[in-house]
Amino acid sequence: MAVGLVDAGGSDGRQYGGRITVFVALSCVTAPWAALCSAMTSEPLDVLHSTGGVSSMGSFLEEFFPDVYRRMKGDVRVSNYCRFDSQLLTLFTSSLYIAGLLTAMLLSSWFTAMHGRRPSMIIGGAGFLAGAAISGGAINVYMAILGRALLGVGLGFANQVRRRKELKPSKILQAVLLYLSEMAPARYRGAFSNGFQLSLCLGSLAANIINYGAEKITGGWGWRLSLGLARVPAVLFTVGAVFLPETPNSLVQQGEDRGIVRSLLQKIRGTDDAAAVDAELDDIVAANSAAARGGDHSGLRLILSRPRYRPQLAVAVLLPAFTQLNGINAIGFYAPVLLRTVGMGESLALLSTVVTVVIYTASTVVFMFVIDRFRRRTLLIAGSLQMLVSEVLIGAVLAAKLGDEGGMARGYAAALFVLIGVYVAGYSWSWGPMTWLVPTEMFTIFIAQGFVAMLCRMRAWLFFFFAGWIVVMTAFVYLFLPETKGMPIEQIGKVWREHWFWGRVVGSDELQATDKL
């Protein structure tokens, strides 16, 4: 439900205007470093990243997970589907998301509401720095998990859920992406948001290229390079955030004087059109005032008590759930593991993921050119169909050609790799960039911790399980997701009142709230 590139107006059709200024350009330069940090340390919505590659490296497994290493080498007789079945190994992956979710729920949301987006971004960068340093220098598995947890703290500040009571789907954003959305002129907001997704792709590509090279380092320390190099974008992101201004939306939320906010907004937009600046500021103030009338700071209490927020709540919960249940993060975390399971060597499995990330990046670039030529719902449904066909065929190949013992013929392994590429492409130009506007940590924890155990027990049927969820989420988009193309952030509530189903849910409660604005 990303906001598009077209000019968006205020509540009475006014045009905000604005151009790319120094402030906007600086935010464009700084924010992608956060995406690179996230991708290189396992970003929730990324598809292929450093953790999946490191988890399949023999030197890493031998040092920290010797039981998995022996199963992988064939020293212990076990089903192909169960070679990597270790809850401690999956805890290494999911500890980042557990820490990130707890940080977001208990600390960072409150901190951002009180102190703004920029301080949260700085603290998030510091968390990335500390986590990458400890992960790269780990001497035992618990130190490695601690490093991942500290990365989660950084992720929690960079990807936290706002506890403001602007309870529209477009307001439940990650701190960095929220900062970008609020700094960008309305007609460029879609491109800015997708630029963040593109940075994630580039970060994934960098991480997988590093993994491929690190695996060839003699001495068994290449995994330290893979985990530790996230410090580079973390430094650049943290330093860049120091020089960024706070957003006008955040200043209004904190009660800053209107004149000061107006002056900053005018500088950010780079326009002498006083009417356009006042129109945008009026909508920001009105949205904040409507939120403030909700009473105390308990956003959850307000959501549950007002019918007009139920559609947003349903979408905010279901979209991230669907994003995880379609299988993308299962493949993302464990693509090298899966390819090694079907018989590919360590080096070839890592090289294959590099190629897949190139496909992912190219598809994301394509999305940047089609995002405002097609409706959001159309892109989501088309991407779902592409993913569905690929997922079913992946499950069919595994069911037919991979048993508990022995490998898979090279031709079928190649076909499996191609199908993964087709699946990733479908995700990257539809659900990947479209669902950046909702939190995903909770569902990512479930997938990260449960995938290898599910693969061991469900075998090829796991991919049919994911395919079933793709059918469900496609039906949800078709029936219940309203179109938001060209809708400004401050006016997003209009789509719920006009929807065939949600209009009946919000009812008079939404109309009363609108009358008070």
Side-chain angles (χ1 to χ4, degrees):
M1 292 181 26
V3 179
L5 294 171
V6 297
D7 250 333
S11 58
D12 58 357
R14 297 168 296 189
Q15 298 296 310
Y16 292 158
R19 60 184 178 83
I20 303 297
T21 61
V22 173
F23 288 123
V24 175
L26 182 59
S27 66
C28 285
V29 171
T30 300
W33 292 115
L36 288 170
C37 290
S38 297
M40 294 181 70
T41 57
S42 290
E43 169 56 38
L45 284 177
D46 197 14
V47 281
L48 297 164
H49 34 58
S50 62
T51 301
V54 169
S55 297
S56 69
M57 287 185 182
S59 58
F60 176 78
L61 293 173
E62 186 177 17
E63 183 163 353
F64 293 138
F65 305 97
D67 291 340
V68 176
Y69 180 73
R70 287 193 293 270
R71 293 200 298 266
M72 184 189 71
K73 298 292 289 184
D75 296 341
V76 178
R77 188 171 181 177
V78 67
S79 169
N80 283 323
Y81 292 98
C82 299
R83 290 181 180 179
F84 291 86
D85 184 18
S86 167
Q87 288 303 299
L88 187 61
L89 177 59
T90 51
L91 178 62
F92 168 75
T93 298
S94 62
S95 58
L96 181 146
Y97 305 105
I98 296 172
L101 180 63
L102 292 176
T103 299
M105 291 177 61
L106 303 178
L107 179 60
S108 63
S109 298
W110 166 83
F111 184 89
T112 299
M114 295 295 101
H115 302 286
R117 328 298 186 231
R118 179 172 162 270
S120 290
M121 291 164 63
I122 295 174
I123 294 177
F128 281 128
L129 278 170
I134 293 177
S135 295
I139 59 175
N140 56 54
V141 65
Y142 302 105
M143 187 174 176
I145 292 175
L146 174 62
R148 294 280 296 167
L150 287 175
L151 288 170
V153 173
L155 195 65
F157 271 96
N159 294 343
Q160 53 82 36
V161 180
R162 295 173 64 193
R163 296 184 69 177
R164 290 181 63 184
K165 293 183 284 298
E166 301 169 20
L167 304 172
K168 304 180 176 77
S170 58
K171 291 297 186 181
I172 305 177
L173 294 168
Q174 298 165 321
V176 177
L177 188 55
L178 172 61
Y179 187 92
L180 270 177
S181 297
E182 292 180 347
M183 290 290 287
R187 66 178 179 271
Y188 299 127
R189 191 173 289 124
F192 276 46
S193 298
N194 198 63
F196 191 83
Q197 176 74 10
L198 179 61
S199 297
L200 281 167
C201 297
L202 296 176
S204 298
L205 182 59
N208 280 278
I209 291 175
I210 291 170
N211 286 341
Y212 179 69
E215 182 269 332
K216 299 181 180 302
I217 296 176
T218 57
W221 57 270
W223 61 268
R224 296 187 184 275
L225 185 67
S226 295
L227 294 179
L229 276 181
R231 285 175 289 182
V232 176
V235 168
L236 296 173
F237 168 67
T238 306
V239 172
V242 171
F243 295 97
L244 288 172
E246 189 54 88
T247 68
N249 305 63
S250 180
L251 293 178
V252 168
Q253 179 187 353
Q254 297 172 50
E256 185 59 82
D257 178 75
R258 180 185 173 96
I260 295 176
V261 178
R262 187 188 184 283
S263 178
L264 175 62
L265 181 60
Q266 186 167 10
K267 290 179 181 179
I268 292 173
R269 294 292 174 252
T271 179
D272 294 327
D273 188 345
V277 174
D278 287 332
E280 183 171 3
L281 182 57
D282 286 344
D283 280 339
I284 293 173
V285 172
N288 188 74
S289 298
R293 283 196 292 270
D296 61 23
H297 292 285
S298 178
L300 180 60
R301 184 182 306 170
L302 184 65
I303 291 176
L304 297 177
S305 64
R306 298 292 178 85
R308 68 176 180 271
Y309 296 137
R310 289 171 187 168
Q312 293 93 319
L313 176 61
V315 171
V317 171
L318 290 175
L319 278 187
F322 292 147
T323 302
Q324 305 307 312
L325 291 171
N326 64 38
I328 189 62
N329 271 345
I331 291 178
F333 292 139
Y334 301 110
V337 170
L338 180 62
L339 292 174
R340 295 207 66 183
T341 296
V342 302
M344 285 190 178
E346 181 176 347
S347 181
L348 184 58
L350 291 174
L351 180 60
S352 298
T353 61
V354 173
V355 176
T356 306
V357 174
V358 171
I359 296 172
Y360 181 73
T361 305
S363 300
T364 302
V365 172
V366 171
F367 178 84
M368 296 179 69
F369 293 96
V370 303
I371 182 174
D372 292 297
R373 296 178 180 271
F374 299 95
R375 293 165 62 88
R376 306 320 191 221
R377 296 170 71 252
T378 300
L379 291 173
L380 286 172
I381 292 172
S384 295
L385 294 177
Q386 181 174 335
M387 294 160 63
L388 175 62
V389 173
S390 304
E391 197 89 70
V392 170
L393 291 177
I394 288 172
V397 170
L398 288 175
K401 299 300 177 180
L402 184 66
D404 286 338
E405 298 181 1
M408 177 182 287
R410 186 177 297 272
Y412 288 108
L416 189 66
F417 167 70
V418 171
L419 289 172
I420 290 176
V422 173
Y423 173 82
V424 167
Y427 175 85
S428 64
W429 60 262
S430 60
W431 285 84
M434 287 292 192
T435 52
W436 264 114
L437 303 182
V438 286
T440 62
E441 285 87 350
M442 182 177 298
F443 300 100
T444 306
I445 291 169
F446 169 76
I447 295 298
Q449 190 68 25
F451 174 76
V452 291
M454 294 169 70
L455 179 64
C456 178
R457 290 155 181 81
M458 298 177 66
R459 292 171 166 75
W461 288 101
L462 175 60
F463 295 92
F464 296 109
F465 168 80
F466 289 138
W469 278 109
I470 294 177
V471 173
V472 173
M473 71 193 208
T474 305
F476 175 81
V477 170
Y478 182 78
L479 295 173
F480 299 109
L481 188 67
E483 183 58 51
T484 60
K485 182 176 182 288
M487 183 68 65
I489 285 179
E490 289 75 24
Q491 300 301 319
I492 205 73
K494 180 181 178 183
V495 301
W496 307 110
R497 297 193 299 272
E498 297 177 350
H499 190 269
W500 72 272
F501 176 79
W502 298 121
R504 295 198 296 266
V505 174
V506 299
S508 60
D509 185 67
E510 174 67 22
L511 295 175
Q512 292 173 7
T514 304
D515 292 340
K516 294 178 181 178
L517 293 178

